[in-house]
Each structure stands twice: as C-alpha cells, then as structure tokens.
Amino acid sequence: MNLTTNDRASYLAAGAGPSPAAGPAGAPGRAPSFALETVGLTRRFGDFTAVDAISFGVPSGTIFGLLGPNGAGKSTTIKMLTTLLPPTAGTGRVAGFDIVRQPVEVRRMIGYVPQMLSADGNLSAYENLLIFAKVYGIRVPQRRKRIMEVLAFMGLADSAGTLVNKFSGGMIRRLEIAQSMLHRPPVLFLDEPTVGLDPVARRNVWEHILRLRDEFGTTILLTTHYMEEADELCQEVAIMHQGKIVTVGAPAAIKAAAGVATLDDAFAHYTGSSIKDGGTFRDAARVRRVARRMG
Amino acid sequence: MPPESAVSPAAWARRFNPVDFIRQTFAVAEADVRKLRHDPTELVTRAVQPTLWLVVFAQVMGRLRGVPTGNLSYRDFMAPGILAQSVLFIAIFYGISVIWERDMGILQKFLVSPAPRVALVLGKALSAGVRGLTQAVFIYAIALLIGIKAQFGLLPILGVLVSTLLGAGIFSTFSLIVACLVKTRERMMGIGQLLSMPLFFASNAIYPLALMPSWLQVIAKVNPLSYQVDLLRALMVQGGQSTFGLGVDFAVQLGILAVLVAVAARLYARIVT
Ligand SMILES: Nc1ncnc2c1ncn2[C@@H]1O[C@H](COP(=O)(O)OP(=O)(O)O)[C@@H](O)[C@H]1O
Ligand SMILES: [Mg+2]
C-alpha cells in the first residue's frame, strides 16, 4: 500500500488532537488507522546515512515487514521507533504518540525483542518475566497468573523454572516474545525474530507471531532478511536497501508489479543486487562480531 | 497546539508515581541478586583480596607500629579501610557488567520500558550495594576470627550498612557514567584499573590523613572514599573516631551520589547508541 499525503495528514492530525490517549486505533471512523507511522524518518551516524528519509504506515492489527540485507538500516529504524535512538530528522508516531516528544507514552505502548538473543541466561524463564512484570508495574494479584499465561501462550509453561542458558535458540526467542507481550502492548517490534534458528524452530516462532496478531490484535513490525518469512507472515512489506525504502506493499502486489515470482527476485529487480550478498564488508564484520557475542 | 515537552517539570510531576518508582528500582536490583543466588562464585572469589589485606598485610604492618593510629590497633584501624576498598573495587568495575548487558541486549529492554532512567540507574547502584554488603558480612566474619574489636550495636551496624550502600552507589554510578561515555569493555577495564589504586592510596583507608604530605591531603579530602572510610571507622570498630564528623560524612556522600545519579540518568540511553 502506498501512503498518500492525505492519509498521512489525517493520521497526524488525529494523533495531535486534544486526546492522543485515544489509543492505538486512532479516531474511530477514520480509515485507514495506522498504529505506527513514519514520515521522512532519518538517522545519520557522522556523515553516513543509515536510514534515509523513510515513510510508511502500518494499519492496526497487521504484521508489517522491513525487508533487507544486513546493513540496510532495519535495526536502526526499530531503535528510533522504540525511542532507543533519537532520529536525525523526520518524525514517527507509535500508537498515536510522537517518538521524540512523547517517548514515555510510546514506551507504555510497545514491546520490543532486540536482534540479539537477549533473555538473561543466568535467570530462569520465570524470573526473566518476573523482573519485567515488576518493571511494567504488573501488581501481585495478577502477576503470577499473567506470567504463566504468556509462558503457556508461547509453549514454555513446562520450562518456567529452567535456567535460560539451558534453552535452545528457538525457546529463547519465544521467551523473549513472551516477555515483550507481558504488559499487552498494542504494538510489538521484533528485530529479526528467527535469525539463526533452524527451520522447525523458525516455523514454530512464526506460528506464535501469527497467533499474537489474531488473538490479541497486536500490530507487529518485524525485520527480516528471509524472503519466505516476509511472504508467510506479513500483510505488507517495505524493501529496504542502503537506508532507503525502495518499494512498499503487499508481497503479492510487489511481486506482480516487478513481474517476478518471488520476493527474492523482486528485491533484485528493485535494487539490482541479490539480498544474499547485499551487505557491505563492514556489515559482514559486524555480523560476525554479534555472532561471537551470541555464541 | 504547543508541543508537549518531554521533560517539562509539570508533566513529569503529573506522571511520577513514587510507588512505581521504588518497585522499578528494586526490580532492577532484584535481577542481579537473583543471578548471584544462582551462581555465588563471584562473591567467594571477591572475598580473597580483603582476606589477604586483613590477615597478612595488617598483621605485618601492625608489628612495625610505624603508623600513628591513636587508641586503635593498626588492624582495627585498617579493617574499615579494607571494607571500603573491597566495595570500591567491586563498584569501580561495575560499568563492565553494564556494557556486557548492553551487548546482550538486556539493557535495551529496560530502556524501552516506561521506567524512569533515574530508577534504572538507582537500581544498578543498589545492586552494586548488595554486592558491597556481602563483602561487609564477610569482613565482619574475618574480623571476628582474627580478633578485631568490631562494634555490634544496632545503630553502628545500621550505619555501616547505609555507608556501604552509599559507597557502592557512588563508585558504581561513576563507573556507569564512564561506561556510557567510553562504551567498550576494554576501555572501561582500563579506566577502572587506572583509577582504583589512586583512589585507594589517596584516601585514609590504610593510613591517617595526618600522615600524608599536604598535597595528598588535599586530594584525599576530595576523594569520596575518605568520607566512606571515615564513617566506617567511627561505626565499625570499638573506639574508632571520625575526623570529619558523621554528619559531614553522610551529607558529602549523599550529595555526591545525588549528583552522579542525575548525570548517569541523563547519559544512560547513550550506552546503546
Ligand atoms: N551506532 C552506530 N554507529 C555507526 N554506524 C552504525 C551504528 N549503528 C548502525 N550503523 C550502521 O548503519 C547501517 C545500518 O545498520 P542496521 O540498522 O543495524 O542495519 P540492519 O539492521 O538492516 O542490518 C550499517 O551500515 C551499520 O554499520
Ligand atoms: Mg539488524
């Protein structure tokens, strides 16, 4: 879907109104209502532009994929939208709140799973969730119930008391998603949720992501460099290359517009390079570093 | 409509909830405490160094009778200094574990939560404080074993507890600030090593201020460690006396901690960029 200037203006107007707390759905009756939107979002590091004036909108209750090779700027985009990194230029709104001017409100509305496996290995699964339940102010009568609920939802109920450093990569990912949904955020950010997982674990994570959307109506922005993942999960994807969005739309529409059969070919069509070797040498070094950290 | 400032004091006051704030602070510390409970090896290895200082160094130096320690034996004089030292050595390297958590992505998840930065920073200070307290327990145990005349009244113990938390909080928050600026483990390690020994020797930990040349006295008097030692010396051992006065000791340490926490809270988010 391509965002028209009108859609954008009406969404921004709705969010900037007297009651931004109206929530993720925005003003009722307005279509389309975006749970998340960026306009000209830009981030530079020195004179290198990692994210270059990207604009897109994600309708409530859908899964949106940022698709691109290592170094495309996907993580940097997520860091800006989760308020971890201030943008150099442009704006973003999450659940109706401005990411620069209302960071605390934004933080109340989001869950985030970083790219690296970030559950604490020296705590049990239950303890990992317990700490964040407390940080998010989930009080005692519901706390235990809520934790057991999300563990069960992610298929981890039997491993609640196990130390996370005994977990497989797929289990850690599911635990992290469980943690990110503890406080029932309307918007979820998943940075490369299945990177490094074997095909079975990957499919398992996919199923849980879909259930999250279908049962809770959660709006999900995920990044990936696996084309089949985008095809399987996302209503819409944006193909990112060297910090820019080269095209955005439903996977089928993108393939049709490019006249190709797969998203891989669509990527090649739009960028003139293959997603497999789209990253630069510097990124390869970085990926290796991250891999070492995780290993 | 006017843009709503993210830091407008009125907006902040409206949204600030002291109960949540305290819960969040304790949750951050609780994560560390639970980790220590799963694997307390670190606490045991940390206890080796103070043991050496108290059992070997203090015994030998005490025989010399070269250090004027007033009515205290040299061992009694030194025990509070060694507690302060072991707290310092834990706290000054605390930034390394924060950088490690950044590399793991753990810190990022706290930073995208609605918890105020001050609560996150204070939580880290508190967890360094808990490590410091385990050292205090251990050093009291050695003190008992080797016959140091420790005070066991409720107020002195309470004072030692608070003083240990303050000292650990000051140096761990300082370390956290450095971590936010240098951002890598290697540089953090280097700076910790560069600072720990000068902070220790330019203090009243193992000799009194009066023994120092005047330039060193000046440095020792701006060194927060001196105030921690001064407080501990008055509270921990029988007959121990404060040089600066307990009120001054507490006030100076509280003031320094408040300033450091405020600075660290401003810088904290930088560690992930
Ligand atoms: N803190 C930083 N300082 C300098 N360059 C950075 C920083 N973070 C990311 N980059 C660079 O920005 C580009 C985009 O990075 P990133 O958003 O992580 O890409 P992706 O997630 O798509 O792999 C890369 O070239 C990366 O090296
Ligand atoms: Mg990335």
Side-chain angles (χ1 to χ4, degrees), chain A residues 45 48 50 69-76 115 282-283 286, chain B residues 273:
Chain A
F45 295 107
F48 172 73
N70 285 318
K74 307 182 296 295
S75 294
T76 305
Q115 184 170 338
R282 195 162 112 218
D283 301 314
R286 218 174 116 258
Chain B
T273 62

Side-chain angles (χ1 to χ4, degrees), chain A residues 16-18 43 79 82-86 100-105 107-108 110 112-114 116-120 122-124 127 130-132 134-137 139 143 163 176 179 293, chain B residues 1-6 15 17 19-20 23-24 27-28 30-32 34-35 37-39 100-115 117 120 185 269 272-273:
Chain A
R43 174 68 202 203
K79 284 180 195 159
T82 52
T83 77
L84 281 174
L85 196 66
V100 175
R101 285 183 294 145
Q102 299 165 301
V104 178
E105 284 79 1
R107 287 178 205 136
R108 281 186 212 290
I110 62 172
Y112 169 50
V113 177
M116 47 282 213
L117 292 179
S118 61
D120 205 315
N122 299 314
L123 294 174
S124 72
E127 287 174 318
L130 179 66
I131 297 302
F132 281 96
K134 291 183 173 182
V135 167
Y136 279 94
R139 298 281 165 89
R143 193 188 289 151
L163 274 190
E176 291 174 330
Q179 186 244 294
R293 271 181 211 149
Chain B
M1 89 173 251
E4 187 188 333
S5 163
R15 155 166 102 195
N17 177 337
V19 177
D20 282 345
R23 282 167 189 276
Q24 287 159 337
V28 171
E30 184 182 342
D32 269 356
R34 285 177 177 272
K35 277 186 264 186
R37 235 173 38 193
H38 286 299
D39 181 12
W100 183 83
E101 288 188 355
R102 188 272 320 269
D103 290 345
M104 299 291 292
I106 296 172
L107 216 61
Q108 284 83 335
K109 295 195 292 194
F110 283 97
L111 284 167
V112 301
S113 82
R117 268 53 171 149
L120 299 180
R185 256 180 281 190
V272 300
T273 62

Side-chain angles (χ1 to χ4, degrees), chain A residues 173-280:
Chain A
R173 256 326 185 212
R174 281 184 282 137
L175 175 64
E176 291 174 330
I177 297 173
Q179 186 244 294
S180 72
M181 59 180 281
L182 255 183
H183 55 291
R184 307 250 170 92
V187 182
L188 208 54
F189 294 90
L190 309 176
D191 199 351
E192 309 239 7
T194 66
V195 69
L197 300 188
D198 63 63
V200 176
R202 173 169 303 156
R203 196 149 281 283
N204 189 329
V205 169
W206 288 354
E207 276 161 23
H208 284 95
I209 293 174
L210 288 170
R211 277 185 61 203
L212 206 54
R213 178 198 61 191
D214 296 340
E215 291 178 30
F216 293 91
T218 310
T219 307
I220 299 172
L221 182 128
L222 59 83
T223 73
T224 182
H225 56 268
Y226 300 120
M227 297 295 173
E228 74 279 14
E229 180 160 303
D231 243 340
E232 191 91 10
L233 294 180
C234 303
Q235 275 76 74
E236 289 185 314
V237 299
I239 293 184
M240 269 190 100
H241 184 58
Q242 296 179 348
K244 293 193 177 67
I245 288 183
V246 292
T247 185
V248 55
I254 289 181
K255 284 182 278 191
V260 294
T262 67
L263 275 178
D264 267 303
D265 295 336
F267 183 83
H269 172 84
Y270 281 106
T271 65
S273 61
S274 156
I275 192 160
K276 305 235 160 49
D277 45 41
T280 62

Side-chain angles (χ1 to χ4, degrees), chain A residues 139-150:
Chain A
R139 298 281 165 89
V140 155
Q142 304 97 30
R143 193 188 289 151
R144 194 184 161 77
K145 191 167 148 276
R146 182 76 69 87
I147 293 174
M148 292 316 290
E149 250 171 45
V150 293

Side-chain angles (χ1 to χ4, degrees), chain A residues 1-2 34 57-59 62-66 230 234-238 248-251:
Chain A
M1 178 211 65
N2 281 306
F34 294 123
V58 181
T62 67
I63 303 180
F64 186 93
L66 283 178
C234 303
Q235 275 76 74
E236 289 185 314
V237 299
V248 55

